[in-house]
Amino acid sequence: MSDINTTLLNSIQKIEVDLAEIKQALHELQRQFSNQFAPAVSAEDLTTMQQSIIEQSSLERIAESVKRAQLTEYPDQLGKQVLNTGGKFKGKNKAQKYNLLLQILHEQDWKARCKEVPKGQPLPPLVPLSDHDLTVKRLHLKTLGCTVKHDIIDKDYPAASKEWKNIPEKNREYYMMHLERLTKNGGLHIHQCKRMRCARSLLRESFKSDNQTHKRRMAEKNKTQRDISDSLLSSSDMSETGDVESPIMADVLSPPPTASVEPARKRSQRSVNAYFTEQYICRNR
């Protein structure tokens, strides 16, 4: 095993030992604190507290359920869904679709501003979004989609299979409307898309991105483990084949010959010497 691998494994083992000791010390401190400061609680009081916690948790879940139901009951409360993201978007990649949608939303905002201009005054010009503006807005949409995925969905479904389609449809509507509310607060009115298609697409992509990141990290972790295993196996093979030494090393490392093999070795040495002597004589004739 190389010095680097040995040092790495020793460091990992030391960290694991240190963590175990810290956890054990923390557990002991918690036990001492509980014994010293915790008041004596009767079984009846403990049951009452547990029941109160359960009731409070139930009330919080009911309140959250009612709030979500009120939000999904009126899908047009943020504004009418008037944009059809169908025909114009066919044959385009994701970036092109979002760029087109952002330009359409930008035009919608321009039309809304024009309606507020008093009659007789010139209308503001419609200036398309630049490539830089489109990139920034796309990144903002993606960030908000990931925020909803991580801060809300993962809390509601911590053990669920990480697929958007596995979330119940009613809850999906809530998540999409929540995302639309966030984007509207940021000046992006994706709530105008029919059937909440933009919000649906953003959340579906956030699931896909997380899955790809998880797979990549697992692949890197498995590769690291394989590399360590291969290194250990290689080192093991070297130690097992270490007894098969080269003739030179065998001659250097082998113990002094015993009396039984000494005559044979002397005869071999005399034969070698005679061979080289004969070659020398032939070259000098």
Side-chain angles (χ1 to χ4, degrees), residues 241-275:
T241 59
D243 293 335
V244 183
E245 299 155 341
S246 65
I248 297 177
M249 293 303 295
D251 187 59
V252 171
L253 299 177
S254 59
T258 61
S260 58
V261 299
E262 183 66 20
R265 177 160 298 184
K266 287 183 177 180
R267 288 195 300 272
S268 176
Q269 185 65 39
R270 286 197 298 269
S271 299
V272 171
N273 292 338
Y275 172 79

Side-chain angles (χ1 to χ4, degrees), residues 135 155 179 285:
T135 301
K155 292 180 180 179
L179 176 56
R285 284 180 177 176

Side-chain angles (χ1 to χ4, degrees), residues 100-203:
L100 177 57
L101 174 61
L102 290 169
Q103 294 286 13
I104 293 175
L105 293 175
H106 177 65
E107 184 178 355
Q108 291 290 110
D109 293 340
W110 173 79
K111 291 179 179 178
R113 291 195 304 272
C114 289
K115 292 180 180 180
E116 298 175 356
V117 176
K119 291 184 178 180
Q121 293 187 8
L123 299 177
L126 175 60
V127 180
L129 296 172
S130 65
D131 291 340
H132 176 266
D133 291 337
L134 291 172
T135 301
V136 172
K137 291 179 182 294
R138 286 203 318 270
L139 179 60
H140 186 48
L141 286 175
K142 182 178 180 180
T143 301
L144 291 176
C146 292
T147 298
V148 174
K149 163 65 167 59
H150 298 156
D151 295 348
I152 301 178
I153 300 178
D154 284 353
K155 292 180 180 179
D156 290 345
Y157 296 93
S161 177
K162 299 304 180 182
E163 294 288 345
W164 170 248
K165 63 182 179 181
N166 293 334
I167 305 297
E169 179 62 29
K170 196 65 177 178
N171 289 347
R172 274 187 278 174
E173 290 182 8
Y174 166 74
Y175 300 136
M176 289 186 289
M177 294 189 67
H178 184 75
L179 176 56
E180 289 181 344
R181 186 179 295 276
L182 290 178
T183 58
K184 184 177 182 180
N185 293 338
L188 298 172
H189 301 162
I190 65 171
H191 61 273
Q192 298 180 22
C193 297
K194 290 184 177 181
R195 298 178 60 187
M196 297 182 282
R197 285 184 175 176
C198 182
R200 188 187 304 271
S201 176
L202 287 169
L203 291 175

Side-chain angles (χ1 to χ4, degrees), residues 236-245:
S236 177
D237 292 341
M238 290 175 63
S239 64
E240 290 176 359
T241 59
D243 293 335
V244 183
E245 299 155 341

